[in-house]
Amino acid sequence: MRRLPEADRDAIRLAQDPKFPRWLEQVTATGGCSHPVHLSGSTTLLDGATGEILHHYDTRDEPGERLLVRCRNRRATVCVTCSRLHAGDTFHLVRAGLIGGKNVSAAVRRRPRLFITLTAPSFGPVHRAGELCRPRRDGGVCEHGRPVGCRVVHGPADPAVGQPLCPDCYDYATHVLWHAHAGKLWDRFVIAVRRQLASAVGLPQSRFREHARLSFARIAEYQSRAAVHVHAVVRLDGPSGPDDEPPAWGTADRLIDAVHASARRTVLHTPYSPAVGEPVLRWGAQVDARPLRADGEGPDDDAVAAYVAKYVTKGASETGAGIDHKVTTWGDIHTAPVNEHVRALMRTCWRLGGLPEYGPLHLRAWTHTLGYRGHILTKSRAYSTTFAALRAQRAHHVGHVDVPGAVTDAHWRYVGSGHTPGAALIAAGIAEDLAESRRLSAEARKEGEWGR
């Protein structure tokens, strides 16, 4: 036994426990979650009228007197099984807002709908993939003695792609501040689109909500230069939301015009800083707005939903956008497994976070995401369903039933998280088995469809 690896010895210890079968059931119920949350407590279901106990559950009868539940982390780099579940929920959330379902009217498919992309502005020239990177006939160097052009053809995997031609010329401070204000910039953009639509049809801006409602779901994605850009599904409904037809003037073309005009005009002023000045923040010049059409012309609804779902599971380390965990010291930045451009952004974030004028931005707490403080996925209230509703539907699907008139008395507390080495080994095996089972089931369904 002593010659066996620690994980194997721990796995044997677990297997010899009399409650191992029940522990195995718990791990399987989490889908083989790699970092489960451990809870201790009880739930009692009572008849609301008589007080009779209908059901009682207590973790004192469980292995280790605890219950394992999913960590629900969206990042595949942290937990593959939970990220897959999150991706599925994201797909259905976005798809429901495009074609209906999940208590959303199917009529939304015939509404004016766009898939838009807003980019960050330039903070300095960076190397690009594709054709000649940055050809310049006159050559020349910047004030720091570095070439201002590049005649190399970079491949997509070239480490130079996204890196500044001159790090000393690059505006790292504005880059970080743009990230910190990106959520507010989006909010102002949405307000500007509503105002632009109202002005285009002669409505007072204050009365737009009486005639139409703008709904959206957006994701933030990091480009190779480590700058966020935004993809969003934007839909125009009537004033009551998905069940209401938009006014006759609410067309996709008019919505496209409003998006482009608003992206150009949206401006945000940052607080004045003696060290940085007062950068003016705006969207980049590259704005894309494509109509989503019910007749199949334009981007496919399912493809858009699948793209969003795939991206939200990516960790920061996969996108070149920093790291997946917070940094607590300046030294953590030095040892982070990132390229020098990202490291410079992290250092700038940490430095600016120490200035009192930027205190409300909490930049040091968001150094690991280069100052970006928003969620990867956000949506407006009326766009579609919610993650909570999707989880409730999944619970009902596996047999959890709400009892009318019942009262729940629950007492739970957090007692830990993660696996021991042997438990992690077993959980990984369960996750692989479940993934293989899903793959075989998908192949069987395809063969059934082809055989018809």
Side-chain angles (χ1 to χ4, degrees):
M1 284 286 289
R2 294 180 179 178
R3 295 181 180 180
L4 293 175
E6 180 185 2
D8 291 344
R9 294 199 306 271
D10 190 43
I12 293 172
R13 178 188 61 79
L14 287 169
Q16 292 175 337
D17 191 305
K19 290 188 176 182
F20 176 72
R22 174 53 187 160
W23 177 85
L24 206 59
E25 288 179 5
Q26 285 198 30
V27 175
T28 304
T30 68
C33 173
S34 59
H35 199 75
V37 175
H38 301 192
L39 300 177
S40 176
S42 63
T43 295
T44 304
L45 193 66
L46 306 169
D47 188 299
T50 66
E52 177 187 358
I53 297 177
L54 303 177
H55 177 73
H56 178 73
Y57 170 81
D58 197 309
T59 57
R60 284 180 292 184
D61 298 326
E62 297 285 7
E65 298 187 357
R66 57 186 61 191
L67 176 68
L68 305 184
V69 298
R70 286 180 178 270
C71 68
R72 292 183 181 175
N73 196 295
R74 68 170 181 83
R75 295 181 177 88
T77 53
V78 176
C79 181
V80 173
T81 59
C82 288
S83 70
R84 178 188 174 277
L85 197 65
H86 189 85
D89 286 348
T90 301
F91 174 81
H92 288 294
L93 183 148
V94 175
R95 187 174 185 267
L98 290 171
I99 66 174
K102 308 296 180 184
N103 298 320
V104 179
S105 171
V108 296
R109 190 167 191 175
R110 299 187 296 274
R111 306 281 165 73
R113 303 167 305 151
L114 306 180
F115 184 62
I116 71 172
T117 299
L118 303 176
T119 60
S122 173
F123 306 108
V126 299
H127 292 281
R128 299 177 297 193
E131 301 177 354
L132 285 179
C133 178
R134 289 188 177 274
R136 291 178 65 98
R137 292 181 180 178
D138 55 350
V141 296
C142 69
E143 61 180 294
H144 304 102
R146 295 187 179 92
V148 295
C150 176
R151 299 188 61 82
V152 176
V153 178
H154 300 291
D158 191 326
V161 173
Q163 306 297 300
L165 271 67
C166 176
D168 294 319
C169 290
Y170 196 85
D171 193 352
Y172 282 102
T174 302
H175 187 149
V176 166
L177 291 174
W178 194 93
H179 274 176
H181 291 87
K184 185 177 291 186
L185 199 64
W186 169 262
D187 292 341
R188 291 199 177 183
F189 165 76
V190 172
I191 293 172
V193 171
R194 295 192 186 105
R195 291 175 175 175
Q196 184 67 27
L197 286 172
S199 299
V201 296
L203 281 175
Q205 296 177 359
S206 60
R207 299 189 60 187
F208 175 81
R209 293 181 183 274
E210 299 175 15
H211 297 265
R213 172 175 288 194
L214 194 69
S215 296
F216 66 85
R218 73 168 177 92
I219 62 165
E221 180 179 3
Y222 286 83
Q223 298 169 298
S224 59
R225 59 185 174 126
V228 163
H229 65 177
V230 172
H231 296 299
V233 176
V234 178
R235 190 184 70 228
L236 191 65
D237 300 319
S240 298
D243 296 324
D244 201 1
E245 290 292 332
W249 52 258
T251 64
D253 289 339
R254 181 159 278 149
L255 189 54
I256 290 173
D257 291 341
V259 165
H260 282 282
S262 301
R264 290 193 302 269
R265 296 174 182 173
T266 302
V267 174
L268 187 64
H269 294 270
T270 61
Y272 172 76
S273 168
V276 179
E278 189 178 358
V280 177
L281 308 179
R282 59 182 77 241
W283 295 106
Q286 295 179 329
V287 178
D288 187 39
R290 304 181 186 184
L292 297 167
R293 306 186 187 279
D295 55 13
E297 298 179 8
D300 179 75
D301 295 330
D302 282 358
V304 169
Y307 173 82
V308 173
K310 179 180 180 180
Y311 184 78
V312 297
T313 65
K314 291 184 178 180
S317 58
E318 293 179 285
T319 60
I323 55 180
D324 290 328
H325 58 274
K326 292 186 177 183
V327 299
T328 56
T329 67
W330 177 263
D332 291 341
I333 300 174
H334 179 71
T335 58
V338 296
N339 60 47
E340 286 307 309
H341 176 52
V342 172
R343 198 183 314 281
L345 285 166
M346 294 175 72
R347 286 172 175 162
T348 303
C349 200
W350 188 270
R351 290 193 186 103
L352 295 182
L355 300 178
E357 57 268 30
Y358 296 133
L361 299 178
H362 304 290
L363 289 173
R364 289 190 173 180
W366 296 100
T367 296
H368 64 300
T369 56
L370 316 183
Y372 180 71
R373 303 185 300 151
H375 293 288
I376 290 296
L377 172 69
T378 57
K379 75 174 191 68
S380 59
R381 185 184 300 273
Y383 174 77
S384 69
T385 185
T386 64
F387 284 117
L390 291 171
R391 286 194 291 266
Q393 290 177 6
R394 185 163 55 248
H396 281 287
H397 179 72
V398 298
H400 296 179
V401 180
D402 290 332
V403 180
V407 177
T408 301
D409 182 26
H411 302 277
W412 292 93
R413 62 188 181 92
Y414 169 83
V415 293
S417 62
H419 283 305
T420 61
L425 189 66
I426 296 172
I430 290 174
E432 291 177 4
D433 289 344
L434 292 174
E436 179 66 10
S437 178
R438 287 191 296 268
R439 186 186 68 80
L440 294 175
S441 295
E443 289 181 357
R445 286 195 298 271
K446 287 183 179 179
E447 290 178 359
E449 292 173 357
W450 294 336
R452 291 176 184 174

